Each structure stands twice: as structure tokens, then as C-alpha cells.
Amino acid sequence: MRRFADASGEAEALSGTLGRHGSLEVRLARSSREIWRAQRLRYRVFYQEMSAKPDVVARVFRRDADRFDKACDHLLVIDHEARGRFGGVKPKVVGTYRLMRKSAADRLGGFYSQSEFDLAPLLARHPGQRFLELGRSCVLKPYRTKRTVDLLWSGIWAYIRHHRIDAMFGCASFDGTDPEALALPLSFLHHQARSDGEWMAQAHPEHLVGMDRLPAETIDAKLALRQMPPLIKGYLRLGARFGTGAVVDRQFGTTDVLVVLPVAAIDKRYIDYYGGDSRRFAA
């Protein structure tokens, strides 16, 4: 199966398989049940493995869910050869990304990221452009491999092509709520990868935590990159830039930064990789 359809087959392509690698398939959720499975995966990663603190509802239902979920598309990686507790084959959602277009955000009064970052000036500078918010990304621990990440990004790229997205953004997180402990990677992002000009955005003043914690000339770039979470490193490779100021999210136990990635800025190597070879992620 081809990864991307021509214009006459776009709708069918997006509702079907967006990529395969062995037993793993990437596609959009097709039912509320599948969204529920993505929410259960998010709970397992964010609340049980990481430092997020569930409220009563999340703890009872063991789901990470909020009011934005119903307005979003949910990208899933499914292992069709996963085994259930009694040894039989039971397909399992092992990776997910939440995708929210501006049209959906407008119906809800804004994007999820707007609770932490002031996106209004950025959006106003690009009237008519199609924005996509990426969020709630997680992968089950045994599946945190290049293969799974490649499948997620092949699905995102198919989605971008289908909806003719112009720019992406979203929160990315460092584990921990002490910005001083993250001084080196935060300072690297501030000095070496800060969004500016027409793509500038910053944290709301009441939440803003300075990222320029170390002078530019003292930063060891290799060490800073080693301290970056894999997701943020991946965004850097694609050509992303980052907003001004971080935000401490105490519920999730993280320090959040804003990723800004115009599609036109994506490194051509990755466009060729995810969009060029139609056989790479074929069934």
C-alpha cells in the first residue's frame, strides 16, 4: 500500500493504513474505543512511569483525558502481534500522538498550548495559514525504538499532506520542575534554537521561566544535546525552533517548552525520508 494517495484518493488513504513495519501499523483512531485505548496508554506513561499526578477521575478510570480529546484526531501505532495476558494474540496501542487543527481549536476557544504560551500574536501574523498542534506524544517503553518513531512521523507527514498544513507547534517537555537543573539544555535552546521574527512566541508572563540561564559562550553543545529528551532532539533535527521562556507544569512534573515548526523549514532530508520512498513504510 502506498503511504500517500493522490488527490482522488485522499479521504480513503487517511482513513486507512498510513504505514506498516512488520507487525506495527500507524493510522488514525477510528472509534471512541480506540481513543480510550490511547488515553489508557497516556495514563500508563505519564502517570505510572513518569511524574504526573492524576486527579480523582483519572485515577479511577486510569485514563489521561481532557476536553480537547473529542476535537482532535488521534494517531496510533498498533502492534498486531502483541500478546494478551493469557498468551493469545491481542493487538495493542503502543504509541500515540494527538493532532489538533486550528478549525477544531477555534470551536473550543483555543489550542491546548495556549494555557501556557501566548500564541495569539503568532497566529495573527499568519492569517489564513493552516496550523496543527502536536501533543500528548508517548510510546510504550518496550517500543521506544527508531522504528516506532519513524512510523509516527510517517503518519504525521501523511496527515500534513492531506490537510495541507503550513505549520506545526506544541508543548514538549523536560522531566522535572527545577529549571536550574535544566540550565544547560534550556540555555542551548534559548541561544541556538529560539524562534524569532514572524515565528516568535513566548510563554504567558505569569508562567514564564527564563531559559537564558547560562551565557552563550559557556554552553557545551554536545553535552546539552545529550541532556535533551529524545522528542526535543527529534524536533531539532527536523528544523524546529523554540519559543521564548519555559513553563513549569507541576501536575505533570515537567518543564515545558514551545516547539514551532513551519513545514517550509523542515530539513529536506526528512521530507525525502518520510515522503520520498513509498516502499519504506509499506505493508
Side-chain angles (χ1 to χ4, degrees):
M1 178 175 179
R2 292 180 302 170
R3 292 173 58 211
F4 305 115
D6 57 23
S8 64
E10 277 189 335
E12 180 181 352
L14 203 64
S15 64
T17 296
L18 302 179
R20 288 292 294 260
H21 193 304
S23 66
L24 300 181
E25 175 191 18
V26 63
R27 61 171 172 80
L28 294 177
R30 298 169 182 165
S31 66
S32 57
R33 173 68 177 175
E34 290 191 338
I35 294 172
W36 178 86
R37 292 169 69 192
Q39 292 167 336
R40 290 292 297 265
L41 172 63
R42 283 160 28 187
Y43 184 91
R44 182 170 177 177
V45 173
F46 298 149
Y47 293 92
Q48 295 183 319
E49 180 183 338
M50 299 175 70
S51 306
K53 300 172 184 175
D55 59 21
V56 173
V57 174
R59 187 181 297 111
V60 169
F61 292 99
R62 302 174 71 81
R63 290 191 304 150
D64 170 60
D66 63 24
R67 68 186 184 90
F68 295 94
D69 279 325
K70 289 184 179 180
C72 295
D73 288 315
H74 298 261
L75 191 66
L76 311 176
V77 173
I78 300 168
D79 183 356
H80 288 281
E81 294 181 5
R83 297 285 174 174
R85 69 173 66 177
F86 300 112
V89 174
K90 185 178 181 181
K92 177 191 296 187
V93 173
V94 300
T96 186
Y97 240 113
R98 189 167 77 176
L99 312 177
M100 187 176 194
R101 285 174 282 143
K102 189 174 184 301
S103 55
D106 289 342
R107 293 196 296 272
L108 286 177
F111 290 99
Y112 173 84
S113 303
Q114 287 182 276
S115 64
E116 295 186 344
F117 296 92
D118 183 7
L119 300 179
L122 171 65
L123 299 174
R125 288 194 295 269
H126 299 276
Q129 292 208 4
R130 297 179 178 90
F131 282 85
L132 175 67
E133 181 182 61
L134 304 177
R136 287 301 204 270
S137 168
C138 65
V139 175
L140 197 62
K141 193 170 185 178
Y143 294 86
R144 287 175 199 160
T145 64
K146 185 176 184 296
R147 180 174 68 165
T148 309
V149 172
D150 279 349
L151 277 173
L152 281 169
W153 273 103
S154 70
I156 289 170
W157 187 245
Y159 192 91
I160 289 168
R161 289 275 297 268
H162 178 79
H163 291 290
R164 302 189 300 279
I165 299 298
D166 298 300
M168 295 171 280
F169 64 87
C171 294
S173 301
F174 290 88
D175 197 21
T177 58
D178 179 5
E180 258 327 293
L182 302 167
L184 179 58
L186 289 177
S187 297
F188 176 89
L189 294 179
H190 177 85
H191 293 298
Q192 302 296 330
R194 184 166 36 139
S195 60
D196 56 14
E198 63 178 346
W199 295 105
M200 182 179 68
Q202 67 177 28
H204 289 296
E206 65 271 25
H207 301 310
L208 189 150
V209 171
M211 296 170 63
D212 54 338
R213 312 188 82 81
L214 299 174
E217 62 272 14
T218 68
I219 293 173
D220 181 332
K222 289 184 178 179
L223 181 57
L225 288 169
R226 284 203 295 270
Q227 293 182 12
M228 296 284 178
L231 181 62
I232 292 179
K233 249 192 294 202
Y235 284 132
L236 280 168
R237 291 191 199 102
L238 287 169
R241 291 296 178 261
F242 295 79
T244 299
V247 175
V248 173
D249 184 337
R250 300 203 178 275
Q251 182 195 354
F252 277 83
T254 58
T255 299
D256 299 340
V257 294
L258 180 70
V259 182
V260 180
L261 181 55
V263 171
I266 297 176
D267 191 300
K268 185 178 182 299
R269 291 174 299 168
Y270 292 98
I271 291 177
D272 291 342
Y273 182 73
Y274 292 114
D277 184 354
S278 63
R279 295 167 299 176
R280 185 177 293 115
F281 301 105

